[in-house]
Amino acid sequence: MRIFLSNRTGSIQREFQHEIEEKSKQNLDRCLGCGACTGGCPNVDFFDYSPREIIAMIKLGDKKKVLESETIWYCLGCYLCEERCPGRISIPRVMDSCREMSLVEGYEAARENIVLFHKLFLTQVARYGRSPETLLALLFNFKTKDYLRDADLGRRMFLKGKMKLFPERVRNREEIRSLFKEADFRGVLLK
Ligand code: SF4
Ligand code: SF4
């Protein structure tokens, strides 16, 4: 079945795709719709739209749906999908671009506090070169006033050595800070 679009509708659709392609430096026309990305994604059960659907929605110009989806925030950036993609599309980069656009253009995040968590994570990376789990969890619970959230899970992880009390320092922290400065993360990093 062929679908005919008016020139204007077509150009609005393409505009969102072009914006994402420009930011992520990816060519989404290379997507074959094969679903290999979705088949290999370890987090897909938590997504409201699969990675394949996100790419298809971008190409259809469904900007609001994409930028308010849970998927763009729950993507782990693990790059498994990129490894499998026959079109060599870096989906994590696409997700990053969607998150950035969603923040900058003020789209509503699908879940309360998801943006706060994201900002806290990036702030720790900018500060320490990594995001120490204990500090991240404490700050998140403090900011959301849910002081004992996941306390039992945290205790068990701590006892198994999966969470450290003090953040490990990384080398070249200045280099990391200057990368953040160059990328202009104003409005994203927290004080
Ligand atoms: S694996 Fe690549 S080509 Fe296949 S649906 Fe996903 S993005 Fe498209
Ligand atoms: S990078 Fe994101 S979309 Fe791709 S496999 Fe990992 S979690 Fe899934």
Side-chain angles (χ1 to χ4, degrees):
M1 183 177 72
R2 297 187 69 184
I3 299 172
F4 294 94
L5 301 167
S6 73
N7 278 349
R8 180 158 162 70
T9 313
S11 73
I12 290 171
Q13 284 182 356
R14 297 291 288 184
E15 199 178 297
F16 181 40
Q17 179 179 345
H18 283 151
E19 280 178 296
I20 294 292
E21 287 181 334
E22 182 73 19
K23 277 187 190 300
S24 63
K25 307 280 179 265
Q26 302 300 304
N27 177 0
L28 302 189
D29 284 337
R30 289 204 306 249
C31 176
L32 312 170
C34 66
C37 48
T38 301
C41 175
N43 228 24
V44 74
D45 288 346
F46 300 102
F47 292 174
D48 44 4
Y49 301 104
S50 70
R52 185 188 64 80
E53 286 171 325
I54 289 286
I55 302 292
M57 283 154 63
I58 294 172
K59 291 173 75 174
L60 283 172
D62 274 339
K63 186 170 181 177
K64 191 170 182 324
K65 258 194 197 168
V66 171
L67 300 188
E68 292 186 350
S69 72
E70 294 186 353
T71 302
I72 61 171
W73 298 101
Y74 286 173
C75 168
L76 304 168
C78 66
Y79 287 83
L80 278 175
C81 48
E82 185 176 327
E83 289 291 314
R84 292 176 156 228
C85 176
R88 303 182 64 82
I89 297 172
S90 177
I91 296 165
R93 282 196 191 187
V94 172
M95 298 286 189
D96 268 347
S97 305
C98 290
R99 282 197 288 265
E100 185 195 329
M101 199 184 281
S102 178
L103 274 180
V104 171
E105 297 189 16
Y107 279 83
E108 267 183 43
R111 297 240 177 144
E112 207 187 344
N113 295 328
I114 205 163
V115 173
L116 171 67
F117 188 87
H118 185 74
K119 287 183 174 180
L120 281 170
F121 177 86
L122 285 177
T123 305
Q124 303 317 310
V125 176
R127 217 170 264 167
Y128 303 110
R130 62 193 310 169
S131 185
E133 295 87 356
T134 311
L135 187 60
L136 181 64
L138 289 174
L139 284 171
F140 184 66
N141 286 3
F142 181 75
K143 293 239 179 220
T144 54
K145 298 189 171 54
D146 189 353
Y147 304 107
L148 294 177
R149 178 197 282 115
D150 295 329
D152 187 48
L153 178 65
R155 183 185 62 80
R156 282 183 283 141
M157 286 177 73
F158 182 70
L159 290 176
K160 289 195 173 205
K162 302 283 183 199
M163 285 177 92
K164 302 230 171 359
L165 202 50
F166 299 106
E168 283 173 36
R169 287 176 176 268
V170 296
R171 277 176 286 169
N172 298 333
R173 278 201 293 170
E174 278 316 311
E175 207 173 310
I176 290 166
R177 280 194 195 128
S178 65
L179 281 174
F180 269 85
K181 212 168 172 186
E182 209 173 298
D184 194 6
F185 270 76
R186 272 174 302 179
V188 175
L189 302 184
L190 300 170
K191 301 273 177 224

